[in-house]
Amino acid sequence: MNSLTALRLLPWLSAEGKPCFLVPSEDGGIMSRLADATEARQLADGLDVLRSARRVLDDVLTPNAEVRYTAIRLAECLADALRVAESRGRRLPTADDDADDVEDDATGHETGNGTGDRDSGACS
C-alpha cells in the first residue's frame, strides 16, 4: 500500500476546512476509535435527516424556508456520507496490496510506522 492510501481520511475537517488524515496504528488507537464512532454517528444522522426530508417533501404545503433548511441539512449529510465512503474505500485492499502485505527490510524484519499503539494524524 502506498503511503497516500495508508493514511486514513478522517470524518471531519480542520478549522480551515481542509481534510484531516491519520496514520493508524495496527491495533487501532484512540483516534481511530473516535473516527469510527464519528462515522457511525454521521451515517445515523444522515438517515434521520433523510426520513425528515421525505416527510417535508411529501407535504406540498411545506413552506419554502423549511424546504430550504431541509436541502441544507441533506447537503451536509451527503458531504459526510461521501467522506465516510471515500475513507472506507481508500482502506479497501487492492490487487497491488497482495504483493505488499509483508514488506521486509534488509534484516528480514517487518517494517512499520513505529507508532506502536498510537495513531498519529494531521490536517493538510
Side-chain angles (χ1 to χ4, degrees):
M1 193 179 313
N2 71 40
S3 62
L4 197 55
T5 57
L7 296 175
R8 177 178 180 172
L9 176 63
L10 294 172
W12 54 78
L13 299 173
S14 71
E16 297 82 27
K18 296 180 181 180
C20 295
F21 294 89
L22 176 72
V23 179
S25 66
E26 290 181 23
D27 297 333
I30 293 169
M31 290 300 294
S32 288
R33 290 190 296 274
L34 177 62
D36 291 342
T38 301
E39 286 179 353
R41 182 183 43 77
Q42 287 174 330
L43 294 175
D45 288 349
L47 186 58
D48 289 342
V49 170
L50 179 60
R51 288 179 183 144
S52 296
R54 285 187 174 142
R55 284 192 301 270
V56 167
L57 297 174
D58 284 344
D59 183 358
V60 295
L61 299 177
T62 301
N64 287 341
E66 193 170 343
V67 173
R68 178 174 162 66
Y69 174 76
T70 299
I72 290 169
R73 290 290 295 135
L74 284 169
E76 291 169 354
C77 292
L78 177 59
D80 288 344
L82 290 173
R83 192 175 306 110
V84 169
E86 180 182 353
S87 176
R88 291 180 180 181
R90 292 168 57 102
R91 289 180 277 149
L92 290 174
T94 63
D96 295 340
D97 291 341
D98 294 337
D100 297 337
D101 278 345
V102 177
E103 294 180 20
D104 294 335
D105 63 11
T107 63
H109 296 95
E110 288 184 22
T111 58
N113 62 9
T115 59
D117 188 25
R118 294 188 223 165
D119 295 321
S120 58
C123 298
S124 29

